[in-house]
Amino acid sequence: MKVAENTVVSFHYRLFDDEGALEVDTRDGDALPYLHGRANIIAGLEQAMAGHEAGDTLRVKVAPQLGYGLYDDDKVRTLELSFFEGLEDFGIGFSCQLEDDEGTLELATVVDIDDEGVTVDSNHPYAGRTLDFEIEIVAVRAATEAEIARGRLEDTAA
């Protein structure tokens, strides 16, 4: 069966940095399943896997616009240190949820602490990067009616 809308695709990936060094490798765990055609993974990977089938491997470079978006300087801001008082394990690299100007919760990471305050960045860590993936499609099956109705898989579906 080929990867197409409303198929469940299970895959492994390896992600390489700009110098070709391996950053992430999922092959030591279970294959990652998703419902194809419903924007459950980044667009660049979904587009690249369309038409392929189990057993296929492919190398894909995903531009930021089809990955995690362009880096947005407006998502970097400095907050008062008092905002973080009493938090355990607080420091550079600390992750927290913040509310943006529209009231939407977003994940942010502390990137700097100084006398001015705490600088947080709510860009995705891969925002602005062209991503270099090696993909192995492990399985493809028809989605169930329930999966199609939900537009996603259950946590236990594979």
Side-chain angles (χ1 to χ4, degrees):
M1 172 177 280
K2 292 194 181 290
V3 175
E5 187 168 343
N6 294 328
T7 58
V8 174
V9 181
S10 295
F11 71 103
H12 283 292
Y13 73 89
R14 293 171 25 149
L15 176 64
F16 300 89
D17 69 14
D18 294 338
E19 286 78 45
L22 183 64
E23 282 190 65
V24 179
D25 187 345
T26 67
R27 294 177 302 171
D28 289 338
D30 293 333
L32 306 169
Y34 77 97
L35 178 59
H36 191 83
R38 299 303 185 93
N40 289 309
I41 62 170
I42 60 173
L45 283 185
E46 191 167 60
Q47 290 173 8
M49 285 194 267
H52 287 276
E53 55 193 9
D56 287 354
T57 59
L58 49 149
R59 190 76 180 244
V60 181
K61 291 204 183 240
V62 177
Q65 298 87 334
L66 296 176
Y68 293 96
L70 298 174
Y71 190 85
D72 183 353
D73 289 328
D74 290 339
K75 290 187 171 196
V76 179
R77 58 187 186 235
T78 301
L79 304 171
E80 292 179 25
L81 187 57
S82 62
F83 184 80
F84 297 91
E85 282 180 4
L87 294 176
E88 288 185 36
D89 300 324
F90 172 71
I92 293 177
F94 180 82
S95 292
C96 56
Q97 244 184 357
L98 300 174
E99 194 172 303
D100 69 11
D101 294 337
E102 288 79 45
T104 304
L105 291 178
E106 57 188 9
L107 187 62
T109 302
V110 173
V111 295
D112 192 32
I113 303 168
D114 60 23
D115 293 338
E116 305 275 322
V118 178
T119 303
V120 296
D121 185 347
S122 59
N123 283 288
H124 187 282
Y126 295 142
R129 283 187 51 192
T130 296
L131 302 171
D132 182 7
F133 287 99
E134 181 180 273
I135 303 296
E136 176 191 0
I137 300 174
V138 175
V140 182
R141 68 165 172 82
T144 66
E145 288 182 27
E147 290 167 335
I148 293 169
R150 274 191 309 276
R152 61 179 173 73
L153 303 180
E154 290 274 340
D155 290 336
T156 58

